[in-house]
């Protein structure tokens, strides 16, 4: 197996290369930025790319963007992303066309050398190795913020979206005004809307409701 490593930290890059060499895996190239990663992939046609997410010059998402570009340039190229961060949108894009030959691991989970090497072999062989935290964040991106509300709370929020007062909502739903106030308090808490001098929580809750219902329709 021949790999290309893309990692801006000299120590980490050398460490990964040493681990791979110990089990007979050749490093065809070890680079420190996204542009060089693409050059190395074209030149060496590796069996696997191991890339960090954040690399020069901005240290935001250069690494994973380069890995995605390499995979598009060489369809089916196995890519294992190893990072301290979950870049949700790019993780989705990396995995969007299927999980064959794709891995995304957080660095805190690769401290176990045996597990890391197993992930390397699995991804290079066409399998997948996706960190549970990455899966959880990807799922949360597709989850409506209203899912945590009860049916009654969603109903109250819908009435609020129509511009109705608490008294009017109570009358429409045939409940007490105190019950409506309790539901609204729960809505604010579940949507993470803390009291603020600068922002009206009622308006923010309604905007969340309208945004979620628009997306769903």
């Amino acid at each position: 197996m021949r790999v290309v490593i893309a990692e801006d930290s000299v120590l980490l890059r050398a460490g990964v290369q040493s681990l791979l060499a110990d089990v007979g895996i050749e490093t065809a190239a070890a680079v420190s930025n996204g542009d060089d990663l693409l050059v190395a992939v074209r030149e060496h046609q590796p069996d696997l790319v191991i890339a960090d997410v954040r690399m020069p010059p901005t240290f935001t998402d250069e690494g994973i963007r380069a890995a995605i570009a390499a995979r598009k340039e060489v369809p089916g190229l196995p890519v294992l992303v190893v990072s301290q961060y979950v870049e949700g949108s790019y993780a989705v894009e990396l995995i969007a066309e299927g999980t064959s030959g794709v891995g995304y691991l957080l660095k805190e989970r690769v401290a176990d050398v045996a597990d890391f090497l197993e992930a390397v072999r699995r991804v290079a062989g066409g399998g997948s190795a996706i960190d549970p935290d990455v899966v959880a964040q990807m799922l949360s991106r597709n989850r409506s913020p209203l899912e945590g509300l009860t049916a009654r709370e969603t109903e109250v929020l819908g009435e609020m979206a129509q511009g109705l007062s608490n008294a009017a909502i109570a009358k429409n739903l045939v409940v007490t005004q105190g019950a409506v106030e309790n539901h609204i308090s729960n809505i604010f808490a579940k949507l993470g809307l803390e009291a603020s001098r600068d922002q009206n929580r009622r308006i923010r809750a309604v905007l969340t409701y309208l945004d979620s219902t628009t997306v769903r329709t």
Side-chain angles (χ1 to χ4, degrees), residues 1 18 26 28 34 36 53 85 92 96 113 123 142 146 151 164 181 185-186 200 202 207 214:
M1 187 194 309
S18 177
E26 177 188 349
D36 287 347
V53 168
Y85 314 94
V92 170
V113 173
V123 174
N142 298 319
L146 306 184
L164 300 182
E181 291 171 354
S185 178
N186 289 337
N200 185 306
R202 196 178 186 96
L207 290 175
T214 298

Side-chain angles (χ1 to χ4, degrees), residues 9 27 40 48 58 60 79 107 113 134 142 157 186 188 190 194:
S9 167
T27 298
L48 174 71
T58 69
T60 53
V79 169
K107 286 182 177 177
V113 173
V134 176
N142 298 319
L157 185 51
N186 289 337
F188 290 159
K190 290 180 179 181
E194 298 181 358

Side-chain angles (χ1 to χ4, degrees), residues 17-200:
Q17 187 170 349
S18 177
L19 287 176
L20 298 178
D22 286 345
V23 293
I25 299 175
E26 177 188 349
T27 298
V31 301
S32 61
N33 61 73
D35 289 341
D36 287 347
L37 168 59
L38 289 173
V39 171
V41 167
R42 295 177 189 127
E43 180 179 351
H44 298 285
Q45 298 292 306
D47 301 301
L48 174 71
V49 165
I50 300 175
D52 190 6
V53 168
R54 300 187 177 188
M55 291 195 293
T58 69
F59 293 95
T60 53
D61 54 17
E62 285 87 353
I64 194 167
R65 282 196 288 107
I68 291 171
R71 192 168 165 86
K72 290 180 177 178
E73 193 168 304
V74 183
L77 172 68
V79 169
L80 174 59
V81 173
V82 181
S83 177
Q84 291 179 323
Y85 314 94
V86 178
E87 296 290 346
S89 60
Y90 288 108
V92 170
E93 185 175 351
L94 180 65
I95 301 169
E97 297 181 2
T99 57
S100 177
V102 172
Y104 196 129
L105 301 180
L106 296 183
K107 286 182 177 177
E108 64 187 38
R109 297 191 190 275
V110 298
D112 188 308
V113 173
D115 286 348
F116 172 65
L117 293 175
E118 170 59 26
V120 166
R121 294 188 181 96
R122 192 185 318 145
V123 174
S128 63
I130 311 299
D131 191 286
D133 285 350
V134 176
V135 174
Q137 182 157 326
M138 289 170 63
L139 290 175
S140 68
R141 288 171 56 82
N142 298 319
R143 188 175 298 143
S144 167
L146 306 184
E147 287 186 7
L149 304 184
T150 65
R152 177 61 85 181
E153 289 163 357
T154 302
E155 198 172 11
V156 168
L157 185 51
E159 297 283 307
M160 290 166 59
Q162 297 178 47
L164 300 182
S165 66
N166 289 1
I169 294 172
K171 181 178 179 180
N172 284 352
L173 300 182
V174 195
V175 296
T176 66
Q177 189 167 330
V180 171
E181 291 171 354
N182 286 336
H183 287 313
I184 292 175
S185 178
N186 289 337
I187 290 168
F188 290 159
K190 290 180 179 181
L191 295 182
L193 302 176
E194 298 181 358
S196 170
R197 293 182 179 180
D198 301 323
Q199 294 180 315
N200 185 306

